[in-house]
PDB file of all heavy atoms in Angstrom:
ATOM      1  N   GLY Y  29       1.829  10.299  18.055  1.00  0.00           N
ATOM      2  CA  GLY Y  29       0.608  10.473  18.821  1.00  0.00           C
ATOM      3  C   GLY Y  29      -0.299   9.252  18.738  1.00  0.00           C
ATOM      4  O   GLY Y  29      -0.137   8.416  17.846  1.00  0.00           O
ATOM      5  N   LEU Y  30      -1.228   9.143  19.678  1.00  0.00           N
ATOM      6  CA  LEU Y  30      -2.188   8.057  19.697  1.00  0.00           C
ATOM      7  C   LEU Y  30      -3.558   8.703  19.560  1.00  0.00           C
ATOM      8  O   LEU Y  30      -4.077   9.272  20.506  1.00  0.00           O
ATOM      9  CB  LEU Y  30      -2.067   7.327  21.039  1.00  0.00           C
ATOM     10  CG  LEU Y  30      -2.817   6.034  21.221  1.00  0.00           C
ATOM     11  CD1 LEU Y  30      -2.336   4.989  20.211  1.00  0.00           C
ATOM     12  CD2 LEU Y  30      -2.602   5.507  22.646  1.00  0.00           C
ATOM     13  N   GLY Y  31      -4.123   8.648  18.343  1.00  0.00           N
ATOM     14  CA  GLY Y  31      -5.243   9.513  18.026  1.00  0.00           C
ATOM     15  C   GLY Y  31      -6.608   8.849  17.968  1.00  0.00           C
ATOM     16  O   GLY Y  31      -6.744   7.678  17.655  1.00  0.00           O
ATOM     17  N   ALA Y  32      -7.627   9.642  18.300  1.00  0.00           N
ATOM     18  CA  ALA Y  32      -9.014   9.236  18.157  1.00  0.00           C
ATOM     19  C   ALA Y  32      -9.813  10.481  17.788  1.00  0.00           C
ATOM     20  O   ALA Y  32      -9.379  11.604  18.045  1.00  0.00           O
ATOM     21  CB  ALA Y  32      -9.543   8.638  19.458  1.00  0.00           C
ATOM     22  N   ASN Y  33     -11.014  10.265  17.218  1.00  0.00           N
ATOM     23  CA  ASN Y  33     -11.930  11.374  16.911  1.00  0.00           C
ATOM     24  C   ASN Y  33     -12.235  12.152  18.199  1.00  0.00           C
ATOM     25  O   ASN Y  33     -12.805  11.604  19.138  1.00  0.00           O
ATOM     26  CB  ASN Y  33     -13.213  10.767  16.313  1.00  0.00           C
ATOM     27  CG  ASN Y  33     -14.273  11.822  16.034  1.00  0.00           C
ATOM     28  OD1 ASN Y  33     -14.133  12.983  16.434  1.00  0.00           O
ATOM     29  ND2 ASN Y  33     -15.327  11.397  15.364  1.00  0.00           N
ATOM     30  N   ALA Y  34     -11.877  13.430  18.214  1.00  0.00           N
ATOM     31  CA  ALA Y  34     -12.036  14.228  19.427  1.00  0.00           C
ATOM     32  C   ALA Y  34     -13.502  14.374  19.836  1.00  0.00           C
ATOM     33  O   ALA Y  34     -13.796  14.682  20.991  1.00  0.00           O
ATOM     34  CB  ALA Y  34     -11.414  15.612  19.221  1.00  0.00           C
ATOM     35  N   PHE Y  35     -14.416  14.143  18.903  1.00  0.00           N
ATOM     36  CA  PHE Y  35     -15.836  14.295  19.224  1.00  0.00           C
ATOM     37  C   PHE Y  35     -16.515  12.974  19.575  1.00  0.00           C
ATOM     38  O   PHE Y  35     -17.717  12.902  19.728  1.00  0.00           O
ATOM     39  CB  PHE Y  35     -16.569  14.983  18.064  1.00  0.00           C
ATOM     40  CG  PHE Y  35     -16.269  16.457  17.994  1.00  0.00           C
ATOM     41  CD1 PHE Y  35     -15.576  16.984  16.915  1.00  0.00           C
ATOM     42  CD2 PHE Y  35     -16.626  17.288  19.047  1.00  0.00           C
ATOM     43  CE1 PHE Y  35     -15.275  18.330  16.869  1.00  0.00           C
ATOM     44  CE2 PHE Y  35     -16.324  18.648  19.005  1.00  0.00           C
ATOM     45  CZ  PHE Y  35     -15.643  19.171  17.916  1.00  0.00           C
ATOM     46  N   ASN Y  36     -15.729  11.902  19.662  1.00  0.00           N
ATOM     47  CA  ASN Y  36     -16.281  10.589  20.012  1.00  0.00           C
ATOM     48  C   ASN Y  36     -15.744  10.148  21.393  1.00  0.00           C
ATOM     49  O   ASN Y  36     -14.632   9.626  21.502  1.00  0.00           O
ATOM     50  CB  ASN Y  36     -15.897   9.583  18.924  1.00  0.00           C
ATOM     51  CG  ASN Y  36     -16.445   8.199  19.197  1.00  0.00           C
ATOM     52  OD1 ASN Y  36     -16.728   7.849  20.352  1.00  0.00           O
ATOM     53  ND2 ASN Y  36     -16.576   7.386  18.171  1.00  0.00           N
ATOM     54  N   PRO Y  37     -16.530  10.381  22.453  1.00  0.00           N
ATOM     55  CA  PRO Y  37     -16.041  10.104  23.809  1.00  0.00           C
ATOM     56  C   PRO Y  37     -15.599   8.656  24.012  1.00  0.00           C
ATOM     57  O   PRO Y  37     -14.620   8.412  24.737  1.00  0.00           O
ATOM     58  CB  PRO Y  37     -17.228  10.430  24.714  1.00  0.00           C
ATOM     59  CG  PRO Y  37     -18.155  11.277  23.883  1.00  0.00           C
ATOM     60  CD  PRO Y  37     -17.899  10.922  22.447  1.00  0.00           C
TER      61      PRO Y  37
END
Side-chain angles (χ1 to χ4, degrees):
L30 189 61
N33 176 351
F35 286 115
N36 180 337

